[in-house]
């Protein structure tokens, strides 16, 4: 069977409404891309079907792609791998089992916490409680409305006037649940911790949190498909839904490392800021005073990335960001030995255009910006078990302390 037939036969994934996608015995394969021909066939596969089944799109030679394969396609995919001599490895043997084990079997308490993952409504009602509890230091911003008319919210934590502002954007990619859990954990620590280092961070900086940016996608991962990444806006040109919001910003939009195909997981969208979510946050960012540091939370891979993604050329203050990044990942590894790698996006992972941190840096003139790719390195991938929420949050918080310290030393904060 050639790859054309495989593409047509494979991976068709239709859901009737109200049904939740199951991934019983589905495998996740990691595929090494070693030459242009391999890249081409893998991209063909993505473009010829709902690209849904790539977890990591095939973007360039010498990187890997990850693909989800249904049990009745194992034989085909094996033949496909052999035909194109694609080196591959089974990363996950039964995706549904990972999903079933993601949340704890027994929920220890009814109130909001960090021992399980929460949906958007629970996160928002927790924010409402905080706003009541801390009316003098917390401000709410309903800064946007998603395609499906959900409110996109931010809260700002400020204890005094004139502070530099640090921005945390979380869950721009729907399935990266650990990001919302970590962002809310950090906000909670900031409000309640007696650790002098944390108190100092909160006294001397204003913090803006967007706990869930891709609200529609996040809701969809809870209701229907745990593996959804993109927004939920349809386009007249295709039956595939949604753009990659982290390729949709108006900075080198549609350049290298993003797709023009609506079925791709890295579809940049029909035009810059075609997605209401990315447009809303960009307008909101412009209103934030004294914004000195922008961060975007993602998973997984254990990386700390900074601009640029559209070019291998180094940003003007590349050296400083590398230095800050290095101190940060050293601090992250101290607690549990979790290894991160730091670098500019293009060199540390791959070319990717139109990301939020590149836009914040390149257009909104925020002097330093970073993307965190949290745990793990693919063992669970996006389905990080809930008992890792607190360890992940603690090491990231260690990293944040070091990041702010080094940025201050270099006079960015
Ligand atoms: C969102 O709300 C507007 C105004 O009420 C409505 O016209 C539109 O159809 C809604 N969109 C969706 C996707 O529900
Ligand atoms: Zn992501």
């Amino acid at each position: 069977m050639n790859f054309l037939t495989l593409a047509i036969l494979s991976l068709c994934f239709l859901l009737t409404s109200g049904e939740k996608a199951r991934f019983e015995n589905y495998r996740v394969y990691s595929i090494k891309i070693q030459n242009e021909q391999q890249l081409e066939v893998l991209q063909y596969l993505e473009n010829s079907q709902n690209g849904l089944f790539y977890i990591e799109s095939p973007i360039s030679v010498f990187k890997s792609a990850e693909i989800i394969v249904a049990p009745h396609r194992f034989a085909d995919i094996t033949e496909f791998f052999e035909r194109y001599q694609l080196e591959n490895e089974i990363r996950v043997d039964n995706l549904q089992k990972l999903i079933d084990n993601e949340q704890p079997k027994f929920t220890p308490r009814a109130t909001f916490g960090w021992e399980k993952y929460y949906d958007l409504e629970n996160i928002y009602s927790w924010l409402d409680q905080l706003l009541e509890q801390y009316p003098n230091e917390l401000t709410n911003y309903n800064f946007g409305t998603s395609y499906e008319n959900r409110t996109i919210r931010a809260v700002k934590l400020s204890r005094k006037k004139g502070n530099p502002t640090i921005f945390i954007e979380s869950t721009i990619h729907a399935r990266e649940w650990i990001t919302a859990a970590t962002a809310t954990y950090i906000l909670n620590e900031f409000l309640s911790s007696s650790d002098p280092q944390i108190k100092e961070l909160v006294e001397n900086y204003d913090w803006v949190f967007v706990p869930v940016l891709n609200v529609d996608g996040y809701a969809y991962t809870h209701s229907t498909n745990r593996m959804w990444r993109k927004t939920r806006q349809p386009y007249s040109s295709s039956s595939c839904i949604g753009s990659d919001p982290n390729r949709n910003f108006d900075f080198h939009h549609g350049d290298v490392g993003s797709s023009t195909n609506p079925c791709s997981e890295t579809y940049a969208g029909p035009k810059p800021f075609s997605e209401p979510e990315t447009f809303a946050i960009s307008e909101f960012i412009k209103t934030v005073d004294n914004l000195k540091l922008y961060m975007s939370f993602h998973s997984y891979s254990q990386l700390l990335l900074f601009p640029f993604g559209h070019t291998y050329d180094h940003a003007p203050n590349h050296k400083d960001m590398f230095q800050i990044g290095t101190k940060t990942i050293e601090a992250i590894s101290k607690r549990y030995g979790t290894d991160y790698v730091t670098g500019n996006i293009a060199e540390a992972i791959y070319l990717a255009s139109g990301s939020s941190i590149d836009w914040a840096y390149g257009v909104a003139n925020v002097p330093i910006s970073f993307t965190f790719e949290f745990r793990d390195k693919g063992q669970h991938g996006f389905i990080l078990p809930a008992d890792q929420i607190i360890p992940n949050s603690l090491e990231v918080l260690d990293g944040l302390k070091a990041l702010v310290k080094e940025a201050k030393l270099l006079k960015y904060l």
Side-chain angles (χ1 to χ4, degrees):
M1 171 190 296
N2 65 29
F3 74 86
L4 285 156
T5 341
L6 173 74
I8 290 156
L9 283 179
S10 69
L11 313 179
C12 199
F13 194 77
L14 296 171
L15 290 168
T16 57
S17 66
E19 208 176 328
K20 203 163 183 171
R22 303 274 309 167
F23 297 92
E24 221 68 70
N25 296 314
Y26 281 55
R27 285 181 182 159
V28 177
Y29 286 92
S30 174
I31 308 162
K32 267 202 193 138
I33 310 170
Q34 288 159 314
N35 59 51
E36 288 294 336
Q37 191 211 8
Q38 292 179 339
L39 179 64
E40 229 171 84
V41 295
L42 288 168
Q43 284 178 337
Y44 185 89
L45 192 62
E46 173 163 53
N47 291 342
S48 56
Q49 261 298 333
N50 282 0
L52 185 68
F53 278 75
Y54 271 106
I55 300 187
E56 291 288 345
S57 291
I59 287 179
S60 75
V61 178
F62 306 123
K63 299 289 173 189
S64 29
E66 301 216 339
I67 193 166
I68 302 177
V69 181
H72 65 289
R73 293 292 159 219
F74 290 166
D76 297 339
I77 200 84
T78 306
E79 199 184 316
F80 174 76
F81 289 156
E82 276 167 14
R83 185 183 184 101
Y84 295 100
Q85 295 170 344
L86 286 157
E87 239 181 78
N88 65 88
E89 181 194 341
I90 299 175
R91 272 288 182 84
V92 174
D93 206 38
N94 180 354
L95 185 57
Q96 189 58 44
K97 202 166 143 198
L98 275 194
I99 294 171
D100 291 343
N101 291 332
E102 181 177 28
Q103 298 277 33
K105 289 276 168 289
F106 303 99
T107 314
R109 53 189 158 160
T111 55
F112 197 84
W114 291 272
E115 283 154 345
K116 60 173 266 196
Y117 293 103
Y118 288 88
D119 65 14
L120 188 69
E121 281 173 20
N122 277 290
I123 291 172
Y124 278 0
S125 56
W126 176 72
L127 285 184
D128 291 335
Q129 282 170 34
L130 291 183
L131 286 158
E132 265 181 38
Q133 207 178 336
Y134 301 95
N136 298 323
E137 44 202 295
L138 275 188
T139 312
N140 182 65
Y141 298 87
N142 294 343
F143 68 84
T145 305
S146 68
Y147 173 75
E148 291 175 344
N149 289 329
R150 290 183 179 83
T151 303
I152 317 172
R153 295 177 66 174
V155 289
K156 179 172 175 178
L157 168 57
S158 177
R159 286 190 179 152
K160 72 175 191 313
K161 286 215 155 56
N163 280 338
T165 304
I166 300 174
F167 199 110
I168 293 180
E169 161 230 293
S170 169
T171 328
I172 189 171
H173 286 145
R175 63 195 172 191
E176 298 167 10
W177 284 9
I178 185 61
T179 60
T182 302
T184 52
Y185 183 92
I186 292 169
L187 173 58
N188 189 58
E189 282 300 294
F190 280 2
L191 287 165
S192 61
S193 174
S194 54
D195 172 352
Q197 251 186 307
I198 290 180
K199 287 173 102 166
E200 204 252 301
L201 284 181
V202 180
E203 283 308 315
N204 297 322
Y205 304 96
D206 287 2
W207 294 81
V208 176
F209 289 83
V210 176
V212 182
L213 176 59
N214 183 359
V215 286
D216 294 348
Y218 190 65
Y220 193 70
T221 59
H222 284 269
S223 68
T224 311
N225 181 352
R226 177 65 188 85
M227 301 308 290
W228 191 259
R229 165 186 171 97
K230 301 193 284 181
T231 57
R232 291 294 304 161
Q233 179 166 224
Y235 312 99
S236 55
S237 62
S238 172
S239 62
C240 289
I241 286 178
S243 295
D244 180 345
N246 208 35
R247 301 289 186 282
N248 190 240
F249 283 72
D250 193 5
F251 181 71
H252 293 271
H253 177 262
D255 211 332
V256 284
S258 67
S259 177
T260 52
N261 186 309
C263 298
S264 168
E265 292 284 53
T266 55
Y267 178 46
K271 57 176 204 253
F273 293 137
S274 57
E275 306 311 287
E277 300 81 5
T278 54
F279 179 69
I281 198 172
S282 73
E283 290 294 306
F284 178 54
I285 291 166
K286 290 183 203 162
T287 69
V288 176
D289 286 335
N290 211 6
L291 179 52
K292 298 295 183 192
L293 163 61
Y294 188 89
M295 288 179 281
S296 178
F297 284 179
H298 293 252
S299 72
Y300 60 93
S301 288
Q302 296 173 200
L303 297 167
L304 181 58
L305 306 168
F306 50 83
F308 289 113
H310 69 284
T311 173
Y312 293 107
D313 293 347
H314 285 184
N317 59 342
H318 176 97
K319 258 188 75 189
D320 289 351
M321 289 191 281
F322 187 76
Q323 184 177 327
I324 295 165
T326 303
K327 293 285 179 188
T328 306
I329 68 170
E330 277 170 19
I332 289 175
S333 73
K334 277 209 179 104
R335 189 180 284 263
Y336 303 112
T338 309
D339 285 325
Y340 273 59
V341 170
T342 191
N344 48 323
I345 302 167
E347 288 176 321
I349 32 172
Y350 41 58
L351 289 163
S353 306
S355 72
S356 65
I357 71 155
D358 273 6
W359 181 87
Y361 180 87
V363 179
N365 294 316
V366 182
I368 46 174
S369 66
F370 291 91
T371 287
F372 282 75
E373 295 275 358
F374 296 154
R375 293 181 181 199
D376 53 17
K377 285 183 158 175
Q379 189 193 353
H380 305 92
F382 304 111
I383 322 294
L384 195 71
D387 61 9
Q388 291 195 43
I389 295 172
I390 291 172
N392 182 75
S393 300
L394 287 172
E395 70 196 12
V396 169
L397 202 44
D398 292 344
L400 273 188
K401 290 176 187 170
L403 196 160
V404 170
K405 188 175 163 199
E406 199 63 18
K408 189 178 172 197
L409 210 72
L410 292 174
K411 312 225 178 311
Y412 288 100
L413 289 172

